[in-house]
Amino acid sequence: MNPSSIFLFALALAGLTQAQNAPVANVESARKMVEGPCTECHGQVVKGDATAIFTRADRRARDHESLVKQVHACGTQLKTPLFPEEEEHLATYLNQRFYQFKQ
Ligand code: HEC
C-alpha cells in the first residue's frame, strides 16, 4: 500500500467508527459538558443532584424539538455560546440518557 492509500484507508475507518456511534458522536464530551458548566447553574435550580432537572416530574421538555430549544436557551447563558451542532449533540445525549423521546 502506498502512503496515500493508507491515509484513505484510515479515513474510511474513522468514518465507520463514527457511524457506529451515531447519533451521539461523542458521549464523553457531552457528559462532561452536562455535568460541568450546565450543572453549575442547574444545581441552583433543583436542590441536590443537578441532573434531576431532566427527570423532575414537571420537567418542561416535551419532545426532541422543545429539548433542542431549551438547550439553545440555556446555551446562550454560557460564557461561550454553543454552536447549533453542539446544541443538537447535547440534546441527543440528554434524550438518550434521560428523556427517551422518539425522534
Ligand atoms: C445560567 C444558568 C443555566 C445554565 C448555564 C444552563 N441551564 Fe439549563 N436550565 C436553567 C434553568 C433555570 C432551567 C429551568 C427552566 C424552567 O424550569 O423554566 C433549565 C432547564 C434546562 C432543561 C430542561 C429541563 C426540563 O425541565 O425538561 C434542559 C434540557 C437544559 N436546561 C439543558 C441545559 C444544558 C445542556 C446546559 C449546558 C450546555 C444548560 N442547560 C446550562 C438554567 C441554566
Side-chain angles (χ1 to χ4, degrees):
M1 238 190 252
N2 65 33
S4 72
S5 55
I6 291 175
F7 174 69
L8 284 177
F9 180 64
L11 213 74
L13 239 142
L16 215 72
T17 330
Q18 245 179 14
Q20 276 170 349
N21 290 345
V24 180
N26 192 336
V27 173
E28 195 52 25
S29 79
R31 190 186 62 76
K32 279 210 187 105
M33 185 84 190
V34 167
E35 294 177 6
C38 307
T39 292
E40 280 167 31
C41 188
H42 291 162
Q44 293 163 14
V45 184
V46 288
K47 306 278 172 277
D49 178 11
T51 58
I53 198 157
F54 309 122
T55 52
R56 57 194 178 150
D58 58 344
R59 68 187 187 184
R60 305 193 47 188
R62 291 276 159 257
D63 49 34
H64 186 73
E65 203 191 327
S66 62
L67 184 54
V68 176
K69 277 198 185 128
Q70 181 67 51
V71 172
H72 171 76
C74 284
T76 60
Q77 304 183 66
L78 294 172
K79 278 188 216 102
T80 328
L82 302 167
F83 288 109
E85 308 87 73
E86 290 178 298
E87 290 168 1
E88 190 63 46
H89 182 231
L90 286 172
T92 303
Y93 167 78
L94 290 174
N95 190 32
Q96 280 189 5
R97 183 162 166 206
F98 300 106
Y99 291 93
Q100 271 124 39
F101 300 131
K102 291 202 172 48
Q103 286 182 46

